[in-house]
Amino acid sequence: MIHQVVCVNLPVDERMCVRKVRLMPEGPGASAERMRRICVVTGTHGDELEGQYVCFELSRRLRAHPELLTGIVDIYPALNPLGIDSITRGVPGFDLDMNRIFPGSEDGVLAEYAAAEIIRDIEGADVCIDVHASNIFLREIPQVRVSETTAKALLPYAKELNCDFIWVHASATVLESTLAHTLNSRGVPTLVVEMGVGMRITQAYGDQLLSGIFRLMHRLGIWAGEPDEVRAPIVSTDGKVAFLNAPTLGMFVPHAPHWEHVARGETIGEIINPLSGEGTPIVSPCDGLLFTLREYPLVYEGSLLARVLAKEEVRA
């Protein structure tokens, strides 16, 4: 059943509405108060579309086997519907990043009011999965990002999600105005998933995450179906991740494949100058796994080109 989470009037007789679909067992004795609940949210940034496929396929599979559903699944495909409609990262017309205004305010402007209502609607859930994509510039392997302060509570859930990598961030880098931080601080275990490329849908990544979502739902007692086996993720911290930034302006041409081992000193790509015919090699500073790789060719000095997970961190 489709529910309206929040609806706000816009100019010219239009409305901005955030909606969710709730799937739960039906029939005598079915009571939402006695069931466990998982929320899957995406579309906070309008240029991140990987989660759209995840929401569609999750809903389709649940509807195909309603007899296996033993709890509540709330699916929120577009927390920022104006951004999704216009393929704009933030909220169009307000110059706001939707993921920088939580927990919002009931007395605030459009986006702040919507944020407050979204939090109110999700509160009380047993787990929330916040699905993001990368931007148009970078390709990311499926990964879960958690902060040091929440890692102990979230890692058991994160390991069920069938992602390749769990990145435990230093607490100082976590913004308090994000959806995940707000929900975690209010007792809703919330996992941030990053994968793919902005403005694209990578079905293989979506299917990989879906296997993990069903396995987590099975663990929570929300899904009675037999879950798939999931891969053992690599768990790492900020201290063992090397960032490669562009030393000059030009076009970046990758040489190394994404999510493969690279050696210290190995050339992972080259910044080329089409006018002079000269190139600047970009080499890995360590042995490790190339888990982030530049997708958009044009780079400026300082542009992020890649991230490499140091070899000593490659462990389950």
Side-chain angles (χ1 to χ4, degrees):
M1 182 180 295
I2 295 176
H3 297 262
Q4 185 171 285
V5 177
V6 58
C7 215
V8 184
N9 290 327
L10 298 173
V12 201
D13 295 327
E14 293 182 323
R15 307 186 81 196
M16 186 208 77
C17 296
V18 177
R19 299 182 176 91
K20 72 175 182 181
V21 59
R22 167 164 288 191
L23 300 170
M24 59 180 290
E26 298 180 354
S31 171
E33 288 73 21
R34 296 197 298 268
M35 294 181 189
R36 305 202 79 182
R37 176 164 65 107
I38 187 170
C39 297
V40 178
V41 306
T42 192
T44 309
H45 295 131
D47 60 350
E48 298 179 1
L49 305 179
E50 300 280 8
Q52 301 303 301
Y53 173 76
V54 173
C55 289
F56 159 75
E57 190 65 12
L58 177 60
S59 180
R60 186 191 69 80
R61 295 184 191 185
L62 291 171
R63 293 177 189 275
H65 296 283
E67 74 281 1
L68 298 177
L69 188 59
T70 54
I72 299 171
V73 182
D74 282 341
I75 303 172
Y76 303 72
L79 295 192
N80 175 14
L82 298 180
I84 291 286
D85 288 347
S86 59
I87 315 297
T88 303
R89 186 170 184 80
V91 182
F94 293 87
D95 195 27
L96 285 173
D97 185 332
M98 187 75 178
N99 209 29
R100 299 293 183 271
I101 58 174
F102 288 99
S105 170
E106 293 184 357
D107 301 319
V109 296
L110 179 146
E112 294 174 318
Y113 174 71
E117 290 299 298
I118 289 166
I119 293 296
R120 183 187 61 79
D121 198 76
I122 296 175
E123 276 188 315
D126 293 280
V127 170
C128 179
I129 302 172
D130 183 13
V131 183
H132 289 261
S134 184
N135 52 41
I136 64 171
F137 304 104
L138 301 168
R139 175 175 292 276
E140 299 278 8
I141 54 100
Q143 59 195 266
V144 184
R145 297 182 180 181
V146 300
S147 73
E148 289 176 335
T149 55
T150 60
K152 183 176 180 180
L154 295 184
L155 277 176
Y157 297 132
K159 290 178 179 179
E160 302 283 6
L161 284 181
N162 201 32
C163 289
D164 299 290
F165 179 40
I166 300 174
W167 191 355
V168 181
H169 277 283
S171 300
T173 65
V174 178
L175 296 176
E176 295 183 359
S177 53
T178 61
L179 173 71
H181 182 275
T182 300
L183 289 173
N184 277 309
S185 66
R186 298 188 180 199
V188 179
T190 302
L191 303 154
V192 176
V193 175
E194 296 262 358
M195 63 182 187
V197 186
M199 298 191 186
R200 299 290 184 273
I201 288 178
T202 312
Q203 286 184 253
Y205 287 171
D207 290 334
Q208 179 180 334
L209 177 60
L210 281 159
S211 292
I213 291 174
F214 276 96
R215 186 174 180 89
L216 179 55
M217 290 195 302
H218 184 270
R219 170 177 174 157
L220 293 170
I222 294 173
W223 179 250
E226 189 64 30
D228 295 335
E229 290 297 319
V230 297
R231 60 195 71 194
I234 295 166
V235 181
S236 181
T237 63
D238 279 329
K240 300 298 181 180
V241 174
F243 291 74
L244 284 76
N245 298 91
T248 186
L249 168 72
M251 296 289 170
F252 177 69
V253 179
H255 296 334
H258 191 214
W259 196 228
E260 293 288 342
H261 285 272
V262 293
R264 180 185 178 90
E266 179 180 342
T267 299
I268 67 164
E270 186 178 15
I271 298 177
I272 61 171
N273 186 322
L275 182 62
S276 68
E278 298 175 338
T280 302
I282 304 300
V283 301
S284 175
C286 60
D287 296 336
L289 277 170
L290 184 62
F291 74 93
T292 300
L293 186 61
R294 185 81 178 185
E295 181 82 8
Y296 191 78
L298 176 63
V299 298
Y300 299 94
E301 184 177 350
S303 295
L304 181 62
L305 303 177
R307 297 188 187 99
V308 178
L309 178 64
K311 183 178 180 180
E312 58 266 33
E313 281 287 283
V314 180
R315 65 181 190 278

